[in-house]
Amino acid sequence: MKLLIFAGSTRQHSHNRKLAREAAAMARASGAEVTHLELADFDIPMYNADLEARGTPPDVMRLKQIMYEHPAWIICSPEYNASYPALLKNTIDWASSPVKSDPAWTDGFKFSRGKVVGVLSASPGALGGLRSQSHLAPLLLNVQCWVAPVNFALSHAAEAFDAEGALIDEAHRRHVQAVIDQVLWAGARLAGA
């Protein structure tokens, strides 16, 4: 199963980027073919229809293709003001925008339709970013993803990782693994594997 994992943050010491790296390592150990994506590696401006009218940015096209090629995703979302960050919304907005000049991409939901998506979050607070998940799920449903019912919000994330970025608490690892397992299980079945 091809699994795409990314965090909705580009901050250097982001807890969610650490969580995405850890989830990627765990998923590889579970036999998945993992692509761990860093959104900082893509030059994607804030969505603007006037800018788009001049041509969809090349990195948006690259991102669309990568997302399309993976039947299963795991997104690690920070929580900003009790919701997901603008970076995630902007990423989905660009990816879901039809490209009228390219027949292969005139369907805005081609990149996302039928994908199984697991949601993780991490926060220094007690709720672990749980409120970001409750807002992100409707966005994912709107772009025709299947959202896995098992999720995990890592609270007190500043103390949750060791110096190498691994999760310290075995219970946290079990929760992350449960999300990975469900996404891989459902992804394989929806893909007909």
Side-chain angles (χ1 to χ4, degrees):
M1 173 59 55
K2 291 183 72 172
L3 176 64
L4 177 66
I5 299 179
F6 62 96
S9 177
T10 56
R11 191 170 63 87
Q12 185 176 1
H13 299 294
S14 163
H15 303 306
N16 285 279
R17 288 182 64 217
K18 288 180 186 176
L19 186 57
R21 282 192 296 273
E22 183 74 341
M26 293 171 67
R28 284 187 188 102
S30 297
E33 181 184 338
V34 177
T35 299
H36 176 205
L37 195 81
E38 288 284 1
L39 292 179
D41 294 337
F42 292 78
D43 184 14
I44 298 177
M46 287 301 293
Y47 180 79
N48 179 316
D50 293 336
L51 174 62
E52 183 182 35
R54 295 195 296 269
T56 301
D59 274 6
V60 171
M61 299 302 292
R62 185 165 65 101
L63 180 66
K64 282 175 175 283
Q65 187 64 39
I66 291 168
M67 296 175 99
Y68 172 74
E69 290 171 354
H70 292 78
W73 308 343
I74 290 177
I75 300 174
C76 299
S77 177
E79 180 176 299
Y80 294 176
N81 293 315
S83 189
Y84 55 84
L87 177 63
L88 268 181
K89 181 68 163 67
N90 191 61
T91 299
I92 299 296
D93 286 348
W94 268 114
S96 64
S97 188
V99 182
K100 296 178 182 75
S101 63
D102 185 339
W105 291 104
T106 56
D107 175 359
F109 296 144
K110 177 181 174 179
F111 85 103
S112 57
R113 184 180 291 108
K115 307 302 181 184
V116 174
V117 184
V119 180
L120 300 171
S121 59
S123 168
L127 295 179
L130 191 61
R131 294 174 296 182
S132 72
Q133 295 184 18
S134 68
H135 288 200
L136 184 57
L139 173 64
L140 294 169
L141 291 170
N142 189 67
V143 295
Q144 302 181 11
C145 294
W146 295 89
V147 179
V150 173
N151 58 23
F152 177 57
L154 176 66
S155 60
H156 308 292
E159 297 87 43
F161 299 94
D162 65 19
E164 283 75 45
L167 285 167
I168 297 168
D169 191 317
E170 188 55 39
H172 293 160
R173 293 182 61 78
R174 282 196 304 273
H175 288 301
V176 172
Q177 189 66 52
V179 174
I180 292 167
D181 290 346
Q182 187 170 74
V183 167
L184 294 177
W185 177 85
R189 274 143 190 82
L190 282 174

